[in-house]
Amino acid sequence: MAAAEGAAALMAAALASTPSYAWMLEAHPPSDRPRLLRALLERNLALQPVGLHAYPAAGGRAVECAFILAPVSSSGLSLWAMITGGLPRIAWEMGLLATRRMLALKGWHGAAAREAAGGGRRYLCLERMAVAESSRNAGVGSAALGRVLRGVADAQGLPVVLSTQTEAAARFYARLGFATVRECEYPPGVNNWIMVREPQQQGAR
């Protein structure tokens, strides 16, 4: 649980100001958005721990890199699980507009990922990659993600799909073998790079 809480805190701090989450939480002051997002992510990770990768800083307890790499089949929660897991309380705190936008974003990204994977194939989704500000540009994120891509996606022979909203992030993922298959706007005015990484043969670098 400590790893999930640390990952949620890191993800919320890194992602609250990104275009999608800023749009989702537009009704709330920017200062409140990390707190609301952290509460939502903590509940999500507690209910769905599958695919969470969280790495503490050397010699410390704080999480410095975290992301989710999970099969699509693990992304669905039953209504009962959501209710008993406390998501309705968080949705109430976020408000109707934020909740509706959250569901719209989830639906759009899910459809975009399925289309990018193509052909009804099984695939993995990479979501909510975050690196602590003090550890950025030091190879921490690329090393951690690279190990997991080789050890999980390549070992299982599965493609990985993601969406990102900055050119810098798209370049980062391209260095790890992802290719842009589509660029599109959602929500309006927010550009998304939909990227896919095909599984690589073990030992082929």
Side-chain angles (χ1 to χ4, degrees):
M1 182 61 68
E5 291 176 353
L10 176 62
M11 291 172 179
L15 303 175
S17 61
T18 58
S20 284
Y21 285 116
W23 177 75
M24 185 182 90
L25 297 170
E26 186 178 15
H28 298 274
S31 58
D32 284 350
R33 294 172 189 170
R35 175 183 61 82
L36 291 168
L37 184 56
R38 177 175 178 174
L40 176 64
L41 292 173
E42 283 182 354
R43 285 295 83 208
N44 279 340
L45 292 174
L47 290 168
Q48 291 183 288
V50 175
L52 172 64
H53 299 269
Y55 301 91
R61 298 176 62 185
V63 175
E64 70 170 353
C65 177
F67 53 87
I68 298 169
L69 183 69
V72 177
S73 59
S74 71
S75 63
L77 281 175
S78 69
L79 179 60
W80 179 247
M82 289 189 286
I83 292 172
T84 57
L87 287 178
R89 178 184 59 79
I90 296 170
W92 176 267
E93 186 176 3
M94 291 195 309
L96 180 60
L97 177 63
T99 301
R100 289 176 61 184
R101 288 184 172 184
M102 176 183 68
L103 295 174
L105 284 168
K106 179 177 175 60
W108 184 87
H109 283 286
R114 288 190 297 273
E115 180 181 341
R121 294 190 300 169
R122 292 176 58 229
Y123 62 96
L124 303 172
C125 269
L126 176 62
E127 299 177 333
R128 302 183 188 122
M129 174 99 188
V131 177
E133 188 172 1
S134 60
S135 300
R136 292 174 191 168
N137 301 313
V140 171
S142 58
L145 180 55
R147 285 195 300 270
V148 174
L149 290 172
R150 293 189 295 272
V152 177
D154 293 347
Q156 298 179 21
L158 293 176
V160 180
V161 181
L162 66 83
S163 63
T164 189
Q165 297 173 348
T166 69
E167 287 191 68
R171 290 194 298 269
F172 166 81
Y173 292 119
R175 290 195 294 271
L176 289 166
F178 287 85
T180 299
V181 297
R182 181 183 174 197
E183 289 187 40
C184 47
E185 285 191 6
Y186 191 84
V190 176
N191 197 53
N192 291 267
W193 283 260
I194 312 299
M195 307 183 74
V196 176
R197 179 186 182 274
E198 296 294 340
Q200 299 177 8
Q201 292 184 352
Q202 296 293 311
R205 297 290 179 263

